[in-house]
Amino acid sequence: MNWRNISQLSKKVYWVGVRDWNRRLFDALIPLPKGTTYNAYLVIGSNKKALIDTVNPGFEKELEEKISKCTNLADIDYVIMNHAEPDHAGAIPYIMSTNSKAMIVTTNKGAKMAQTFYKVPEERIRIVADGDSLDLGDKTLQFIEAPMLHWPETMFTYLKEEKILFPCDFFGSHVAVGLYDDDVEDLLVHAQRYFGEIMMPFRIMGQKAMEKIRGLDIMLIAPSHGPIHRNPNRILKAYSQWVNGETRKKAIVVYATMWNSTEKMIRPIVDTLASEGIELAIHNLTVTDLGDLAKDLVDSKAIVLGSPTVLGGAHPLVVYATFLVKALKPPAKFGIVLSSYGWGGGAVKNIQEILGASKMEVVGAMEINGPPTDNDVGKIIELGKLLAAKIKEEAH
Ligand code: FEO
């Protein structure tokens, strides 16, 4: 008995994706507290049928069962590969072996990836470029290249007649349940977290893509993870702020502490910033969630890093977090580094080396021996006031 449910989004357009609520980690890096979905969409035109993206390996049969509610997998004419990452393209080998006629439709770079990763023969690949379209009869798919969002080959697909944008990972969120955006109460929090984890390093490319889709008449945004946006303006507005690096009057505090000396440095700066009206996000690295940390990097104007010295450098958790901060390219303008050591310093130098050349202004760095004295606390409070003033000044 095929009990699978699919959802009709529009005339002859169906969500045929799958829910992976048990998944807890992506890329051996990103926590998924709410699981995720791999969204695939079936578009039935009067002449041709297209499947937009597929699903993660292991879900091929579920995808096939869902498709069979509308048509046979063997009758699909085109598989639109917006992105080659296996969570969306991983079912391509199964589809290509089950269906002898379907063509993979993708960008030039996607074509090479389809051959490399999925062994798709060249003659079964149709390469499309920016602005190209594909006629399905009474429906037309238009393609918009969106490189580095977040791989080089990525593209968006726009279904002209139904005004649906399929942007693959862009505008996505890792949430396993909820078909539409208004089904998930805190969706924007999940979307911001997702943006921080996946899209933030590519903000410039995000700006270019936003510019490209500006003129489109969009009723639905159907990404490849999480709910479909039937209130597209809400996510478009949020993305406009995030890709442009618009920050809040907010500081993110990221630290580890071994014998509480570093935490004793962190507490007065947190208190000072809070009393100055600065919004705070505090991440003790022994207990924090990296996705939350990425979310807070998206809109923080300042970063405070705190670390003890361990074996002549920063604590390994702080090394990891600092590397992530560097890699994710957050828009923060100001930074402070605080450190305590037992018998020899090195954490501040280590953190500064990892951060390397950066547009972030280091407002202050303090490295002290043991727990902070009253004099040290006074200096930390002054640093906090200076940072608060800079945040407030920049906010105007
Ligand atoms: Fe969801 Fe980049 O794959």
Side-chain angles (χ1 to χ4, degrees):
M1 174 185 168
N2 184 354
W3 48 266
R4 305 282 184 198
N5 272 313
I6 60 172
S7 299
Q8 181 158 359
L9 307 182
S10 187
K11 191 179 160 206
K12 301 230 166 177
V13 181
Y14 304 90
W15 175 80
V16 291
V18 301
R19 304 183 191 285
D20 192 358
W21 58 81
N22 287 320
R23 188 163 182 173
R24 283 293 172 271
L25 200 59
F26 207 96
D27 292 344
L29 175 68
I30 296 166
L32 303 180
K34 302 282 183 189
T36 193
T37 60
Y38 315 113
N39 295 336
Y41 302 95
L42 187 61
V43 181
I44 311 271
S46 55
N47 290 336
K48 300 284 184 185
K49 298 168 182 169
L51 178 68
I52 300 180
D53 293 317
T54 75
V55 293
N56 201 76
F59 290 90
E60 295 89 345
K61 285 285 181 189
E62 187 172 334
L63 174 67
E64 184 175 21
E65 285 178 23
K66 290 199 167 189
I67 290 170
S68 73
K69 292 277 184 176
C70 292
T71 186
N72 290 323
L73 182 59
D75 291 336
I76 287 176
D77 299 284
Y78 302 111
V79 177
I80 312 301
M81 192 184 82
N82 277 331
H83 179 24
E85 197 165 8
D87 51 330
H88 311 297
I92 283 179
Y94 179 78
I95 293 172
M96 298 307 271
S97 64
T98 310
N99 173 322
S100 58
K101 68 170 182 178
M103 296 286 289
I104 298 291
V105 179
T106 187
T107 58
N108 193 33
K109 288 193 169 126
K112 289 186 183 66
M113 289 184 176
Q115 291 171 70
T116 304
F117 292 112
Y118 307 115
K119 311 299 173 209
V120 179
E122 201 176 349
E123 62 275 15
R124 293 193 69 184
I125 299 176
R126 176 163 171 171
I127 293 173
V128 289
D130 208 28
D132 284 356
S133 53
L134 187 64
D135 185 2
L136 305 180
D138 60 346
K139 299 195 192 307
T140 316
L141 299 177
Q142 296 179 335
F143 304 104
I144 301 155
E145 289 192 57
M148 297 318 298
L149 295 176
H150 61 120
W151 278 19
E153 84 300 354
T154 41
M155 68 174 186
F156 301 168
T157 297
Y158 178 64
L159 174 53
K160 191 174 147 198
E161 291 77 7
E162 306 298 322
K163 302 176 183 171
I164 305 176
L165 181 68
F166 302 93
C168 203
D169 284 335
F170 211 55
F171 304 120
S173 55
H174 285 311
V175 182
V177 289
L179 180 64
Y180 289 109
D181 48 358
D182 41 284
D183 296 333
V184 180
E185 192 181 0
D186 55 350
L187 181 65
L188 273 189
V189 174
H190 294 287
Q192 181 172 335
R193 181 184 165 107
Y194 183 94
F195 180 89
E197 293 159 341
I198 311 282
M199 297 296 168
M200 189 159 62
F202 308 107
R203 284 190 291 119
I204 302 295
M205 303 312 284
Q207 289 168 20
K208 290 181 179 165
M210 295 288 285
E211 196 54 44
K212 277 188 181 182
I213 63 172
R214 185 189 294 275
L216 292 182
D217 188 3
I218 298 173
M219 291 287 287
L220 290 178
I221 295 178
S224 56
H225 295 288
I228 294 154
H229 303 278
R230 60 180 164 194
N231 306 288
N233 286 340
R234 188 170 69 141
I235 194 71
L236 286 169
K237 184 174 170 220
Y239 258 64
S240 169
Q241 291 168 347
W242 298 338
V243 298
N244 286 306
E246 288 181 26
T247 50
R248 299 165 64 87
K249 230 168 53 178
K250 172 176 173 181
I252 178 172
V253 180
V254 179
Y255 74 100
T257 192
M258 291 164 73
W259 293 102
N260 281 335
S261 294
T262 303
E263 177 141 335
K264 283 177 184 161
M265 299 176 81
I266 291 292
R267 287 191 177 275
I269 202 159
V270 164
D271 267 18
T272 306
L273 290 168
S275 66
E276 293 284 337
I278 304 301
E279 183 183 338
L280 285 152
I282 303 170
H283 296 276
N284 179 335
L285 290 165
T286 53
V287 293
T288 206
D289 172 290
L290 279 182
D292 277 344
L293 194 155
K295 170 185 75 71
D296 287 320
L297 286 172
V298 171
D299 58 4
S300 288
K301 213 175 279 298
I303 303 173
V304 177
L305 287 166
S307 179
T309 288
V310 182
L311 303 172
H315 189 285
L317 285 173
V318 181
V319 169
Y320 181 44
T322 308
F323 179 82
L324 270 184
V325 166
K326 171 80 175 169
L328 292 177
K329 298 186 171 68
K333 296 278 196 307
F334 310 110
I336 281 182
V337 185
L338 301 176
S339 175
S340 162
Y341 62 88
W343 59 91
V348 168
K349 182 167 172 275
N350 190 192
I351 289 169
Q352 286 175 331
E353 278 169 359
I354 297 168
L355 287 175
S358 156
K359 287 181 185 157
M360 190 165 71
E361 176 191 341
V362 179
V363 174
M366 272 181 74
E367 192 162 44
I368 63 166
N369 186 202
T373 62
D374 285 351
N375 188 37
D376 293 328
V377 169
K379 286 182 188 165
I380 292 168
I381 289 170
E382 287 312 308
L383 263 185
K385 286 181 179 166
L386 179 60
L387 183 62
K390 288 197 175 263
I391 291 172
K392 286 191 251 188
E393 192 183 314
E394 218 273 335
H396 289 123

